[in-house]
């Protein structure tokens, strides 16, 4: 515990927590402290020595990749991410607002052969994760479709849920913004933050699935909202404090998205920071 306190904030910390064991009270408190620290910490769990070996190997590999600069055109990668976002909707009559997250990888190359992206097993795996993963993107009570649109694999659902994947490994996740029970035209900061975290986790999982050897070493991430120009941003506390009265929001500029570039390993190592770096600038675009 003292070693952890000494290293925290000064070094990269990798925590591996054993599952299925009895802990004394002080040990349990230490585990909770480690799991509650979100910045600068990679966490994983294990049951056997082999599990631990694999977890340590993967963590050290990701850390090494995260600190290596490769021959990547950041601007080109970012432009591809922006282009993969859905077009802004100008009609507000449907009442459906969506958050969109696109992730593109570099160096630019073909990750999936045409025959691979058309395999039913790939679409089924993506759909399974969207419906039943740790962060569910699709509603299991709604119908869903999957198919090819040119060279792009598309999974879609009623009410705006959509996932697209192309042969270069670019991924876009679009999900309806969760609405409060009061049905006010608001964007709740913590809710959107959680939804972006789920979309980012899904994109990271897809990259690991289609590119397990990490040929794509870097990523560009673009995030935006569609159909939400007249929704106001509020925190959960503000929403509960004043549930029946609010002002309509207005986007303050024409910018439709925010973008950042990272090493691919950062998707797992620094996901919480990435989500904040996306959501905070998006919120600034509204007043």
């Amino acid at each position: 515990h003292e070693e952890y306190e000494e290293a925290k904030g000064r070094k990269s910390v990798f925590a591996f927590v054993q599952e299925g064991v009895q802990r004394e009270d002080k040990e349990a408190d230490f585990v909770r402290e480690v799991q509650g620290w979100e910045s600068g910490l990679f966490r994983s769990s294990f049951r056997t020595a082999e599990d631990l070996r694999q977890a340590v190997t993967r963590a050290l590999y990701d850390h090494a990749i995260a600190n290596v600069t490769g021959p990547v055109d950041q601007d080109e990668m970012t432009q591809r991410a922006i282009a993969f976002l859905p077009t802004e909707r100008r009609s507000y009559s449907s009442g459906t607002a969506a958050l969109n997250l696109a992730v593109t990888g570099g160096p630019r190359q073909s990750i999936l052969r045409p025959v691979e992206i058309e395999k039913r097993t790939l679409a089924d795996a993506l759909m399974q994760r969207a419906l039943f993963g740790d962060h569910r993107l699709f509603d299991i009570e709604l119908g869903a479709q999957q198919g090819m649109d040119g060279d792009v694999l598309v999974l879609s659902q009623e009410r705006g849920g959509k996932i697209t994947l192309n042969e270069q490994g670019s991924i876009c996740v679009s999900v309806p913004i969760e609405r409060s029970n009061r049905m006010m035209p608001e964007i709740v900061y913590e809710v959107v933050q959680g939804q972006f975290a789920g979309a980012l986790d899904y994109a990271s999982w897809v990259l690991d699935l289609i590119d397990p050897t990490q040929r794509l070493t870097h990523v560009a991430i673009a995030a935006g909202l569609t159909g939400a120009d007249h929704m106001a941003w509020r925190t959960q506390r503000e929403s509960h404090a004043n549930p029946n009265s609010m002002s309509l929001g207005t986007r303050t500029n024409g910018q439709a998205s925010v973008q950042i570039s990272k090493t691919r390993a950062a998707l797992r190592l620094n996901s919480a920071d990435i989500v904040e770096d996306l959501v905070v600038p998006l919120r600034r675009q509204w007043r």
Side-chain angles (χ1 to χ4, degrees):
H1 197 163
E2 290 175 352
E3 292 173 350
Y4 166 75
E5 293 291 348
E6 178 70 17
K8 186 173 68 171
R10 299 175 54 194
K11 297 177 178 291
S12 299
V13 177
F14 304 86
F16 304 92
V17 180
Q18 188 173 11
E19 296 180 349
V21 295
Q22 294 290 331
R23 296 190 176 90
E24 297 178 359
D25 291 343
K26 288 185 177 180
E27 292 173 330
D29 290 342
F30 179 32
V31 170
R32 282 193 291 270
E33 179 182 343
V34 171
Q35 292 178 333
W37 184 41
E38 296 183 351
S39 178
L41 174 67
F42 172 83
R43 294 183 298 273
S44 184
S45 60
F46 70 95
R47 286 184 174 272
T48 67
E50 178 61 20
D51 290 343
L52 180 58
R53 185 190 69 80
Q54 293 180 4
V56 170
T57 301
R58 177 63 181 272
L60 293 176
Y61 176 78
D62 283 352
H63 184 260
I65 292 296
N67 289 278
V68 172
T69 301
V72 176
D73 187 337
Q74 300 281 2
D75 291 338
E76 182 274 336
M77 193 167 58
T78 299
Q79 290 305 312
R80 281 192 288 123
I82 295 172
F84 214 51
L85 288 172
T87 304
E88 173 73 88
R89 293 192 296 269
R90 295 300 178 185
S91 173
Y92 311 107
S93 59
S94 66
T96 301
L99 61 85
N100 312 288
L101 180 114
V103 178
T104 58
R108 185 172 187 173
Q109 58 192 294
S110 179
I111 297 299
L112 291 167
R113 294 166 49 223
V115 67
E116 291 174 329
I117 200 170
E118 292 187 8
K119 283 185 177 179
R120 179 66 180 268
T121 54
L122 174 60
D124 287 346
L126 299 184
M127 185 68 76
Q128 176 94 3
R129 182 80 176 193
L131 287 168
F132 303 106
D134 294 336
H135 300 275
R136 295 184 179 182
L137 303 180
F138 283 179
D139 189 335
I140 60 175
E141 297 182 357
L142 299 178
Q145 298 80 39
Q146 57 191 48
M148 296 296 298
D149 182 5
D151 62 351
V152 177
L153 174 61
V154 180
L155 312 179
S156 59
Q157 191 170 48
E158 302 170 23
R159 301 180 188 174
K162 190 174 183 180
I163 296 165
T164 54
L165 173 68
N166 68 13
E167 295 173 1
Q168 289 76 46
S170 297
I171 308 146
C172 183
V173 177
S174 300
V175 293
I177 296 175
E178 294 179 10
R179 301 290 296 272
S180 66
N181 293 333
R182 291 177 293 277
M183 297 302 291
M184 298 292 288
E186 64 182 3
I187 302 171
V188 178
Y189 179 88
E190 293 86 353
V191 171
V192 170
Q193 189 176 36
Q195 287 189 277
F196 269 123
L200 188 67
D201 176 76
Y202 183 87
S204 178
W205 174 84
V206 172
L207 283 175
D208 287 343
L209 177 69
I210 65 175
D211 183 30
T213 60
Q214 300 205 22
R215 290 170 288 171
L216 300 175
T217 59
H218 292 69
V219 293
I221 307 165
L225 305 179
T226 50
D229 278 7
H230 294 292
M231 299 176 72
W233 283 77
R234 299 209 290 183
T235 64
Q236 287 180 334
R237 183 176 180 178
E238 291 169 340
S239 180
H240 289 306
N242 198 6
N244 299 315
S245 177
M246 65 181 297
S247 300
L248 290 177
T250 303
R251 198 163 66 187
T252 58
N253 56 51
Q255 185 178 356
S257 65
V258 296
Q259 310 86 38
I260 56 176
S261 299
K262 296 286 183 180
T263 58
R264 173 171 164 184
L267 292 178
R268 298 195 323 117
L269 296 175
N270 299 313
S271 60
D273 289 344
I274 291 174
V275 170
E276 283 189 345
D277 290 345
L278 294 171
V279 177
V280 171
L282 271 178
R283 183 185 59 183
R284 290 176 186 160
Q285 296 181 24
W286 273 258
R287 66 164 182 259

